[in-house]
């Protein structure tokens, strides 16, 4: 890679996505071996940003200045040989340099289809509409920060090959295992099931996680604050019903509107029950010898039942950090997925596996361009200025986890204030550092 970090800045006038798409695409598409591939990739991204309505090949070609180029773009997406993984890796590194990334957030996406011939199509429940539809299901790994969230890596569920849980884990592991990308906490939506497999995958990869589960998830209580029962599993909802007196108020800053909010958390040590079944990759449960899991109950109103339940191995993380990690997932639900639809993330009209992956990769680039333009405009209007970035630091007594004296935190370039930090290998806890050295990350 070896390319300069793209600067989304403008000193006097407004910034739009199209103002910087050329510079960003030049950096992201550098691994593509041929000049014509790099040119078509940029034209495709421009078409996704400018075409109105459904992003068909004809519509994209027309708005990209290629009125007779529909067939050429179709071949570039569906039949070409360029590697989408290298583009995703470049995108992850760029976003990490431009934003203070705090987590990977894995979210499902159902893609309705009218026919049955596209890869991965079957009858699926769509939580957005509440109906069963004919379609594909994918999982996206979103690079998430307080300022913006952008999908980077994707996994398409193939019913004959993988479970949904394996697919969700693969979406983030495919990008997070690359050397150029920092390890971050992983936040996963597993409300529909699969928590055991997902935590097993992430635990085996030694990645800290917060996995959202349903109230009906069976667990074993190992926390001395509650009776352990007769060895039978009880549900997450029942555990939190019994833990009401352990609930504590947590104040945290919601960076979306810069307000301090009040929530409530309760945490208890638990274990997942032994499972007789294994997923497609043979993951049965979290690896033996790992530290305890915490069940986290989250309330916004202490008079009601918890709104969300989480399983995490970040036992040393402060409650406010856990709350803010959960908020990253919620923020994607509130608005970032709308931007995905506007750039045509679900609009691929081809049928092939390779074509789908190339389309969503370029749609992710289009979404990153639009999101970063909005972030740059917000920074200029709020006075952060063009130099707003992040740095890296090593924790001392303030670090939770990885190795003694090595916290791997990330700090604001102007203030040195540390956000979510390094990855823990020794005791499987996430590390946090109070300060970081300000500096721009360059592609490796």
């Amino acid at each position: 890679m070896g390319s300069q970090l793209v600067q989304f800045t403008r000193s006097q006038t407004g910034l739009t996505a199209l103002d910087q798409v050329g510079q960003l695409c030049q950096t992201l598409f550098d691994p593509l071996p041929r000049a014509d591939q790099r040119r078509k990739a940029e034209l495709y991204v421009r078409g996704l940003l400018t075409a109105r309505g459904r992003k068909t090949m004809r519509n994209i070609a027309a708005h990209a200045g290629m009125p007779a180029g529909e067939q050429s773009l179709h071949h570039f997406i569906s039949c070409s040989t360029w590697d989408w993984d290298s583009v995703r890796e470049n995108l992850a590194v760029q976003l990490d340099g431009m934003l203070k990334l705090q987590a990977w957030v894995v979210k499902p996406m159902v893609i309705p289809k009218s026919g049955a011939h596209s890869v991965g199509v079957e009858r699926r429940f769509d939580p957005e509409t509440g109906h069963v539809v004919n379609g594909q299901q994918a999982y996206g790994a979103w690079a998430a920060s307080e300022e913006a969230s952008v999908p980077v890596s994707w996994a398409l569920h193939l019913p004959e090959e993988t479970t949904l849980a394996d697919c969700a884990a693969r979406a983030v592991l495919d990008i997070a295992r690359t050397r150029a990308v920092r390890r971050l906490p992983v936040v996963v939506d597993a409300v529909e099931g699969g928590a055991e497999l997902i935590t097993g995958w992430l635990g085996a990869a030694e990645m800290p996680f917060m996995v959202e589960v349903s109230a009906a998830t069976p667990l074993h209580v190992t926390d001395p604050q509650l009776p352990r029962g007769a060895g039978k599993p009880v549900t997450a909802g029942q555990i939190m019903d019994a833990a009401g007196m352990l609930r504590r108020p947590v104040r945290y800053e919601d960076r979306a509107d810069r307000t301090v909010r009040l929530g409530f958390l309760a945490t208890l040590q638990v274990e997942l029950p032994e499972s007789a079944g294994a997923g497609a990759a043979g993951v049965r449960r979290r690896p033996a010898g790992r530290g305890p899991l915490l069940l986290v109950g989250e309330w916004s109103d202490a008079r009601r039942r918890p709104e969300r339940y989480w399983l995490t191995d970040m036992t040393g993380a402060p409650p406010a950090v856990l709350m803010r990690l959960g908020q990253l997932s919620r923020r994607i639900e509130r608005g970032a997925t709308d931007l995905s639809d506007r750039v045509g993330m679900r609009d691929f009209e081809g049928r092939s596996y390779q074509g789908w992956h190339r389309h969503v990769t370029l749609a992710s680039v289009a979404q990153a361009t639009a999101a970063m333009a909005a972030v740059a405009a917000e920074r200029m209007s709020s006075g952060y200025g063009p130099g707003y970035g992040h740095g890296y630091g090593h924790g001392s007594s303030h670090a939770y986890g990885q190795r003694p004296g090595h916290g791997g935190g990330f700090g604001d370039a102007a203030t040195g204030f540390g956000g979510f930090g390094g990855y823990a290998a020794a005791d499987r806890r996430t590390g946090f550092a109070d300060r970081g050295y300000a500096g721009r990350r360059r592609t490796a």
Side-chain angles (χ1 to χ4, degrees):
M1 293 183 286
S3 50
Q4 186 78 21
L5 178 68
V6 174
Q7 300 286 338
F8 276 75
T9 62
R10 173 158 302 183
S11 58
Q12 295 179 348
T13 60
L15 181 68
T16 68
L18 291 177
D19 288 330
Q20 297 286 340
V21 66
Q23 185 182 2
L24 182 61
C25 286
Q26 181 180 2
T27 299
L28 298 184
F29 301 144
D30 181 67
L32 273 61
R34 302 203 314 261
D36 66 306
Q37 292 175 333
R38 297 190 291 273
R39 180 180 63 85
K40 288 176 182 177
E42 180 177 337
L43 289 174
Y44 198 89
V45 171
R46 289 183 180 275
L48 292 172
L49 288 168
T50 56
R52 295 180 179 271
R54 187 170 176 81
K55 307 302 191 291
T56 63
M57 288 293 178
R58 178 175 298 179
N59 198 7
I60 293 170
H63 284 80
M66 300 175 62
E70 177 184 354
Q71 189 62 34
S72 177
L73 282 183
H74 174 78
H75 183 275
F76 170 70
I77 293 296
S78 296
C79 305
S80 187
T81 59
W82 60 273
D83 175 28
W84 57 80
D85 285 333
S86 58
V87 176
R88 292 175 181 178
E89 183 176 328
N90 268 4
L91 178 58
V93 172
Q94 286 292 315
L95 290 170
D96 195 18
M98 292 185 286
L99 299 169
K100 296 195 298 278
L101 292 187
Q102 296 162 330
W104 292 106
V105 178
V106 181
K107 303 295 287 186
M109 179 177 72
V110 174
I111 309 166
K113 290 286 185 179
S114 56
H117 299 293
S118 295
V119 62
V121 168
E122 68 172 12
R123 301 291 289 174
R124 302 179 183 276
F125 176 74
D126 184 358
E128 293 184 18
T129 63
H131 298 108
V132 175
V133 300
N134 191 64
Q136 301 164 313
Q137 179 155 334
Y139 284 86
W142 294 64
S145 78
E146 298 283 358
E147 294 183 287
S149 297
V150 175
V152 173
S153 180
W154 291 92
L156 182 64
H157 178 231
L158 304 177
E160 67 278 8
E161 296 182 11
T162 63
T163 68
L164 288 172
D166 293 332
C167 186
R170 191 174 71 250
V172 68
L173 292 177
D174 282 350
I175 189 66
R177 281 172 171 164
T178 60
R179 292 182 178 181
V181 178
R182 289 187 298 120
R183 291 205 169 188
L184 298 168
V186 179
V187 182
V188 187
D189 179 352
V191 172
E192 299 301 321
E196 185 175 358
L197 291 173
I198 292 172
T199 58
W201 268 110
L202 297 176
E206 296 188 331
M207 299 191 69
F209 58 78
M210 275 186 65
V211 176
E212 185 177 4
V213 298
S214 73
T217 302
L219 299 165
H220 287 296
V221 178
T222 60
D223 198 298
Q225 298 177 94
L226 286 183
R228 300 193 180 192
K232 295 182 179 180
V234 292
T235 68
Q238 291 172 326
I239 294 171
M240 282 300 154
D241 286 345
M245 297 301 292
L246 302 176
R247 184 174 53 223
R248 296 291 183 266
V250 178
R251 295 187 182 276
Y252 64 98
E253 182 182 1
D254 188 338
R255 301 282 179 89
D257 55 9
R258 297 189 177 91
T259 59
V260 176
R261 299 186 181 276
L262 177 65
F264 299 87
L265 287 185
T267 60
L268 289 163
Q269 293 182 8
V270 296
E271 285 186 349
L272 285 160
E274 187 77 45
S275 174
V283 177
R284 293 182 179 273
R285 60 175 303 181
R286 61 185 178 87
R290 294 191 66 234
L293 297 177
L294 288 182
L295 173 65
V296 181
E298 178 185 343
W299 292 259
S300 62
D301 186 342
R303 298 168 295 181
R304 302 179 181 274
R305 300 193 74 184
E307 295 173 353
R308 295 196 173 194
Y309 302 85
W310 303 89
L311 285 176
T312 181
D313 63 347
M314 294 184 284
T315 57
V321 169
L322 297 177
M323 183 74 82
R324 286 169 61 188
L325 282 172
Q327 290 297 315
L328 292 175
S329 176
R330 197 165 300 171
R331 190 169 303 150
I332 291 173
E333 296 170 0
R334 288 200 297 256
T337 52
D338 293 338
L339 181 54
S340 290
D341 287 336
R342 291 202 296 274
V343 298
M345 194 70 71
R346 306 181 210 228
D347 288 354
F348 178 60
E349 56 188 355
R351 298 177 178 178
S352 73
Y353 179 84
Q354 292 83 359
W356 181 86
H357 269 285
R358 294 191 182 102
H359 169 81
V360 296
T361 298
L362 297 182
S364 296
V365 173
Q367 181 163 347
T369 307
M372 284 309 307
V375 167
E378 174 63 22
R379 288 175 179 177
M380 296 300 290
S381 65
S382 61
Y384 281 115
Y388 189 78
H390 73 256
Y392 305 88
H394 296 283
S396 54
S397 60
H398 300 286
Y400 297 82
Q402 186 168 350
R403 297 179 182 88
H406 186 86
F410 317 111
D412 186 288
T415 66
F417 178 78
F420 303 119
Y423 174 66
D427 63 3
R428 276 78 174 182
R429 298 180 181 181
T430 298
F432 301 87
D434 279 351
R435 295 193 179 275
Y437 296 104
R440 291 290 186 182
R441 181 171 186 171
R442 299 168 62 93
T443 52

